[in-house]
Amino acid sequence: MLEVENLRKTYATGDEALKGVSLSVEGNETVAMIGPSGAGKSTFIRCINRLTDPTDGKIRLDGTELTALEGDELRSVRRDIGMIFQEYNLVERLTVMENVLTGRLGYVSNWQAFRRQFPADDVERAYEILDRVGLGGMENKRVDELSGGQRQRVGIARAVIQQPKILLVDEPTSSLDPETSETVMTLLTDIAADRGIPVLINIHEVDLALNHADRVVGLHDGELVFEGTPADLDESGLDTVYRGADPDETPQVPRSDGDTARDGLDPSVPGGT
Amino acid sequence: MTEADATWRRFDRRRRVGRFLALLVSAVVVVASWEFLEMGGVDAATVPREINDLLTRMYPPDVAYTGEIVGPLIETIHIAVLGTAGALVLAVPVALLAAKNTTPNAATYWLGKVIVTVSRSVNTIIWALFFVVIFGSGPLAGTVAIAFRSVGFLGKLLGEEIEEIDPGQVDAVRAAGASPVQTLLYGVVPQIKPALVGLSVYRWDINVRDSTVLGFVGAGGIGVQLFRGVNAFAWESVAMILLAILGVVVVSEVVSARTRAVVR
């Protein structure tokens, strides 16, 4: 169970990315965090596994307070948190298998890591997970030979092999086409359900969030401005998240702007070549 | 049709004056150097004669001398190989110190920069002079000299390469709970591997050429024979040595280019 209390992050530039955000994620629920670009969604997720250090607030994973951890203790908590990234963040020149086994680095010595000697259990689990995400037989391909959808599957496999207590997912679909986005989201939520772990997903595509999440939270300008089920999120809720509660504020990001952009490129539209 | 009076100038008046002054200063510097060195008095007529004279003395190259230079030539290549290998071992930590994103703190960053600068600011042959004094004449001094000069080259270029890596890949490895060493092995090294191989082979190629003159100061290699030949006016032997060096350099350049093309 992840409990975040009053999390604040002020960057060195003075930007207040998070202005006291509290959120709990537990059981095997999928929580989608929506909000416009720059609302602080990525910062929030990166603070949880301390890729970014929060300025203030508390983060507890199964009771362990992790905002003050350093060194081995921090690494040991990170093993329990699987993270999936927007740009996949795979190590491009390594193979699929090496990337997946990267998820087990927290459990092997430096020398074993250097020699690529992972325990047989890990290797067996890696093969199983690769099959599960539909990449069976691809283990020796270099990931820079893969398509976007395949890369994100490797990203999922790498996070899942950690046997994490929670999955943090940062904009998993923004580099993917709509159809692949849908399959990746389904795969992600299915795997999490199989394993009974909660998922916290940052996502700006509201439709995907509504289709796949059990709960939706909305972040606007570093503050949590909406929390509820997908059914609760009506037009006024969306307005609050994307345009801010203050009616004078100018609209920032219209709903489904990505879809609109894609419609403009639709080859069936007359006038196209 | 109305008369067009639109004007456009790439530079405003101040910039034009500035550019003119910059050009003037450059010209003055060049003329001053020329005057200082008093090179105006070369008798142009003697130059072709001297070249002709030199070429006649060098031709035909002394093929019989080949047997004597094979050994030193192989020694030269070995100096380059060992010097580059030594440099590589030293350059990797130096590069990590000299790269902003991997250095532990400001002090280590400057330490890295200082090592790079000191190594680079001293020519191989001058390093060799030092090490001949320290180790005595012979290939050991040459090898160490090559290594010391190459550390700066490799450390600087590798460091720049490390600064260019994609931080996202490193983040992902850290996020899995990897130790700092594992993060280097999985997040950083794969990203700089082609540069690591490419730069090492390129430096080895440069070092083969550098080590041909190490013998001038007694630091081993084919330069010993070359220096001796020049001093004894044995131009036919010198020609043979130069041909042999040319051959080795061409081969090393081909090896270097091929290797860099293969590793990606």
Side-chain angles (χ1 to χ4, degrees), chain A residues 132-134 153 156 182-192:
Chain A
R132 176 69 182 80
V133 300
R153 287 158 192 268
I156 293 171
E182 185 63 36
T183 26
V184 163
M185 285 296 285
T186 308
L187 180 66
L188 203 51
T189 44
D190 284 359
I191 285 192

Side-chain angles (χ1 to χ4, degrees), chain A residues 83-220:
Chain A
M83 183 153 175
I84 294 161
F85 297 82
Q86 176 173 5
E87 303 287 347
Y88 328 123
N89 285 4
L90 303 177
V91 183
E92 294 285 315
R93 287 202 182 83
L94 295 184
T95 61
V96 169
M97 185 55 105
E98 286 173 305
N99 268 285
V100 174
L101 288 172
T102 299
R104 298 305 292 175
L105 282 179
Y107 296 91
V108 299
S109 70
N110 293 340
W111 180 245
Q112 285 173 306
F114 175 68
R115 304 269 300 132
R116 307 291 194 264
Q117 284 172 334
F118 287 86
D121 284 353
D122 289 352
V123 176
E124 194 180 315
R125 205 174 295 129
Y127 277 118
E128 280 169 21
I129 293 170
L130 281 174
D131 278 339
R132 176 69 182 80
V133 300
L135 293 176
M138 307 269 251
E139 63 272 11
N140 288 328
K141 279 205 172 213
R142 247 167 65 153
V143 298
D144 53 9
E145 298 168 17
L146 304 183
S147 71
Q150 290 173 323
R151 286 175 189 218
Q152 198 53 294
R153 287 158 192 268
V154 177
I156 293 171
R158 176 175 66 186
V160 167
I161 201 172
Q162 284 179 242
Q163 301 190 291
K165 293 176 179 167
I166 184 168
L167 280 179
L168 304 178
V169 190
D170 191 11
E171 300 280 4
T173 57
S174 57
S175 310
L176 302 174
D177 65 72
E179 214 168 302
T180 317
S181 297
E182 185 63 36
T183 26
V184 163
M185 285 296 285
T186 308
L187 180 66
L188 203 51
T189 44
D190 284 359
I191 285 192
D194 289 352
R195 294 171 180 257
I197 53 174
V199 186
L200 175 60
I201 303 186
N202 275 343
I203 192 156
H204 67 264
E205 289 141 305
V206 176
D207 303 335
L208 279 176
L210 297 181
N211 289 340
H212 294 277
D214 302 313
R215 189 150 63 96
V216 177
V217 294
L219 203 60
H220 181 89

Side-chain angles (χ1 to χ4, degrees), chain B residues 229-243:
Chain B
V230 171
N231 283 345
F233 304 110
W235 294 109
E236 290 174 359
S237 308
V238 169
M240 195 57 228
I241 293 172
L242 292 180
L243 280 179

